[in-house]
Amino acid sequence: GSPGDRGIHVIVTARNDTAIHGYSLAFTYPADVLELTSISTMGPHVESVEPDFVAPTLDNQLGLGNLGVILAYQEPLVLKELPPLTVDDYPRIIARLTFDVLSNALGGSYPLRLVDGIGQPANYNRFSDRGTSLTPRLEDGVFRVFGGNVLQLEKKLLIGGIHQSTEIKALVRHPEPLAG
């Protein structure tokens, strides 16, 4: 996003090798650059299960967010789960964070970190399998704010062993018209 942009979505994905019946996310972001406007389970994976409990919390002063999700909570209890993924499956979307970029933000790369033990009370990044808490491996993200003149190479994901020709484009952002 650029300074002043609104409604920028950041997708949080997960891989699991056991069934998930609930999960929690706890993350930080730079509150002097970004304003978190919403946290949801919007997407084809969790939303299709229709969780019984979804509780997002935003704290734009401290740059903290968390999300608690319980798939089956209400009586009569019907087991709902996100089944295990195979090695060949793509990660599933478990959360959508929506940010506004503050108008005074400087261009650069800013960390989005999954952090255990933040907030009051403390929140953790966990999966739940029939009440057993599982600690996943965490991979932090980056939010890029474009500012000033930027020349950037496009990012591509390639799968090894497949022989194909792939173009990588150069992208440019500039606030003033270019003369050359």
Side-chain angles (χ1 to χ4, degrees), residues 9-91:
H9 298 293
V10 173
I11 305 300
V12 180
T13 62
R15 297 190 60 77
N16 56 300
D17 57 5
T18 185
I20 295 174
H21 301 100
Y23 60 93
S24 61
L25 297 176
F27 59 93
T28 65
Y29 56 93
D32 59 333
V33 175
L34 302 172
E35 179 180 346
L36 182 61
T37 60
S38 72
I39 307 170
S40 74
T41 58
M42 182 188 297
H45 305 109
V46 177
E47 200 171 60
S48 67
V49 177
E50 298 180 7
D52 290 347
F53 178 82
V54 177
T57 304
L58 323 167
D59 185 335
N60 281 309
Q61 289 186 359
L62 296 177
L64 304 176
N66 63 63
L67 173 67
V69 176
I70 301 173
L71 300 181
Y73 179 67
Q74 298 176 354
E75 297 290 339
L77 192 61
V78 176
L79 186 64
K80 298 178 190 178
E81 66 182 25
L82 296 174
L85 295 174
T86 68
V87 173
D88 297 328
D89 291 333
Y90 288 105

Side-chain angles (χ1 to χ4, degrees), residues 64-148:
L64 304 176
N66 63 63
L67 173 67
V69 176
I70 301 173
L71 300 181
Y73 179 67
Q74 298 176 354
E75 297 290 339
L77 192 61
V78 176
L79 186 64
K80 298 178 190 178
E81 66 182 25
L82 296 174
L85 295 174
T86 68
V87 173
D88 297 328
D89 291 333
Y90 288 105
R92 62 172 45 101
I93 297 169
I94 62 169
R96 182 182 307 250
L97 315 177
T98 305
F99 289 99
D100 290 348
V101 182
L102 300 181
S103 60
N104 62 345
L106 299 176
S109 295
Y110 296 93
L112 301 177
R113 292 193 173 108
L114 295 165
V115 180
D116 285 336
I118 60 171
Q120 289 292 345
N123 294 286
Y124 295 86
N125 293 285
R126 297 291 186 266
F127 295 154
S128 175
D129 177 9
R130 295 182 188 248
T132 299
S133 194
L134 306 171
T135 305
R137 180 173 49 90
L138 305 176
E139 294 181 10
D140 295 332
V142 172
F143 193 105
R144 288 186 181 84
V145 175
F146 297 105

